[in-house]
Amino acid sequence: MAGEIEARLKALDLVLPEAKAGLGTYVPFVHLGGQLFISGQLPMQEGMVAFAGKLGSDLDIEAGQKAARLCALNILAQAKSALRDLDRIVQLLRLNGFVNAAPDFTDHPKVLNGASDLLVEILGNKGRHTRIALGCASLPLNAAVEIDAIFAID
């Protein structure tokens, strides 16, 4: 029987992508005690970066929010791979978001709201979290956004 979080995903007509292995000498997640650390997730879809380029020059805020949403789904895919049951999530503690931004772009928080809003929609109050939203000169594979996460789990 599907759990509460899986039921919310289904009700929202969302399907988690397949959790992918890391692209380097790191692991996609670490489970330590009551915490789960998820490595930075790019807006990957079917093995490709779905949103590439810089916010403020190549992409607008709406595209950045879609990229952030995709990163959030990839975070949950990694959490499911680690935990097998997303209902083990007690609380999303922290998102660290990095936006590939043009030098004059300053709406990083608006971009990251794409991920934050979706995670609250899926996880309910368990999805309310602290956050960093930073701009950077570039990201791996020219991805528009990269986000990592820390969860409290049972």
Side-chain angles (χ1 to χ4, degrees), residues 98-145:
F98 303 89
V99 177
N100 186 358
D104 60 345
F105 186 78
T106 59
D107 285 325
H108 313 95
K110 289 180 184 176
V111 171
L112 270 288
N113 282 345
S116 293
D117 293 347
L118 181 65
L119 289 165
V120 169
E121 195 172 358
I122 293 168
L123 301 174
N125 283 332
K126 295 180 192 182
R128 299 206 178 276
H129 54 275
T130 64
R131 185 179 85 181
I132 294 175
L134 296 172
C136 52
S138 66
L139 284 172
L141 305 175
N142 198 32
V145 179

Side-chain angles (χ1 to χ4, degrees), residues 56-77:
S57 61
D58 305 320
L59 302 168
D60 62 15
I61 291 172
E62 184 179 349
Q65 290 171 335
K66 289 178 182 176
R69 286 175 60 92
L70 189 49
C71 292
L73 290 174
N74 286 320
I75 286 168
L76 288 177

Side-chain angles (χ1 to χ4, degrees), residues 1 11 14 26 28-29 34 39 41 47 50 67 72 74 107 110 117 124 126:
M1 182 171 137
L14 296 171
Y26 66 93
F29 57 82
S39 291
Q41 299 296 303
N74 286 320
D107 285 325
K110 289 180 184 176
D117 293 347
K126 295 180 192 182

Side-chain angles (χ1 to χ4, degrees), residues 66-94:
K66 289 178 182 176
R69 286 175 60 92
L70 189 49
C71 292
L73 290 174
N74 286 320
I75 286 168
L76 288 177
Q78 291 294 349
K80 184 172 181 179
S81 178
L83 302 171
R84 305 287 180 236
D85 180 3
L86 290 173
D87 286 335
R88 290 186 58 201
I89 293 172
V90 173
Q91 186 70 45
L92 172 56
L93 300 172
R94 177 76 157 203

